[in-house]
Amino acid sequence: MIEIADGVFVRRHTELDLTLGHVTGSGDSLLVDSGMDPALAREISPSRVVLTHNHFDHVLATEAFLPCEVWAHEDCVVDERLLDDRAKYYRDPFEGRLVAPTHTFRDTVTLDVGGRRVDLHHFGPAHTSHDVVVHVPDAGVVFAGDLVEQGAPAQAGPDATPSNWRRVLDLLLRLDPRIVVPGHGDPVDAAFVREMAIPEAT
Ligand SMILES: [Zn+2]
């Protein structure tokens, strides 16, 4: 865990260059994406996991953090189809249980994480139909999920809406972030997001 702002951490993984986030308040914390490594649950016990979107690499370890609330956009479906995508990358079977969201929202919701305000936003379809942006206003940190990637181009799969991507990023930038944490790669700044290339539909 690397502290990028007061009480805000990122965990970088060599696996797929994945980046998770951990926002801590007084006696409470929130994890941004559960990722693929259940061992993280031996280090932290968040009361909430927020899923930025339903791609397998961001959600498969949720079970390890139970009991906790699992937050996502209302269109975020976690089901067996994720495992078909995983099977394209990994030969070994997925050991564990898929965990669906327990708490959902449509546009915006504000959470209290041990006295600290954390806002979840959905700005419309882009990387998926249900991307969640996690904003920690007092730290100037935004977790962007796969709307932003560093070290590799952002990815638009069959479930993406590239035509709306720039608009979504503009709304994200209106949060005036000091640090933007991508779903893959190292944290970046607002200028990086402003200048990044929008992927084309594949
Ligand atoms: Zn993704």
Side-chain angles (χ1 to χ4, degrees):
M1 286 280 185
I2 304 158
E3 190 165 23
I4 57 167
D6 189 27
V8 181
F9 300 82
V10 296
R11 191 177 200 245
R12 299 278 291 110
H13 296 252
T14 47
E15 199 68 31
L16 302 181
D17 205 21
L18 189 67
T19 305
L20 307 186
H22 190 220
V23 181
T24 62
S26 180
D28 194 10
S29 75
L30 174 152
L31 180 65
V32 182
D33 284 337
S34 64
M36 295 190 290
D37 180 12
L40 178 60
R42 293 202 288 266
E43 296 173 35
I44 62 170
S45 305
S47 68
R48 299 184 185 99
V49 173
V50 178
L51 306 178
T52 60
H53 62 295
N54 72 357
H55 288 163
F56 74 89
D57 45 331
H58 298 260
V59 309
L60 285 186
T62 303
E63 182 187 18
F65 300 95
L66 297 177
C68 66
E69 295 178 1
V70 182
W71 283 80
H73 184 264
E74 62 182 14
D75 292 340
C76 179
V77 176
V78 174
D79 65 15
E80 270 68 31
R81 282 172 293 181
L82 276 65
L83 301 182
D84 297 339
D85 288 331
R86 181 187 180 279
K88 294 172 193 160
Y89 292 82
Y90 301 102
R91 285 186 173 191
D92 62 312
F94 169 61
E95 309 274 356
R97 184 165 67 84
L98 292 169
V99 178
T102 60
H103 293 66
T104 62
F105 72 102
R106 181 172 298 188
D107 299 314
T108 297
V109 66
T110 294
L111 305 177
D112 182 310
V113 180
R116 185 170 214 176
R117 177 179 169 166
V118 176
D119 297 326
L120 311 185
H121 297 284
H122 170 66
F123 292 135
H127 177 66
T128 66
S129 63
H130 56 271
D131 304 308
V132 174
V133 168
V134 180
H135 183 210
V136 188
D138 71 75
V141 173
V142 165
F143 293 90
D146 288 357
L147 294 168
V148 178
E149 286 201 37
Q150 182 276 336
Q155 300 291 316
D159 53 348
T161 308
S163 60
N164 197 48
W165 204 305
R166 177 54 63 192
R167 178 178 167 274
V168 167
L169 291 183
D170 286 344
L171 291 168
L172 181 158
L173 288 168
R174 277 196 213 167
L175 301 174
D176 196 22
R178 193 167 59 83
I179 302 170
V180 177
V181 181
H184 302 265
D186 287 322
V188 298
D189 59 12
F192 179 97
V193 176
R194 214 172 287 122
E195 290 153 21
M196 69 173 260
I198 302 303
E200 292 182 15
T202 53

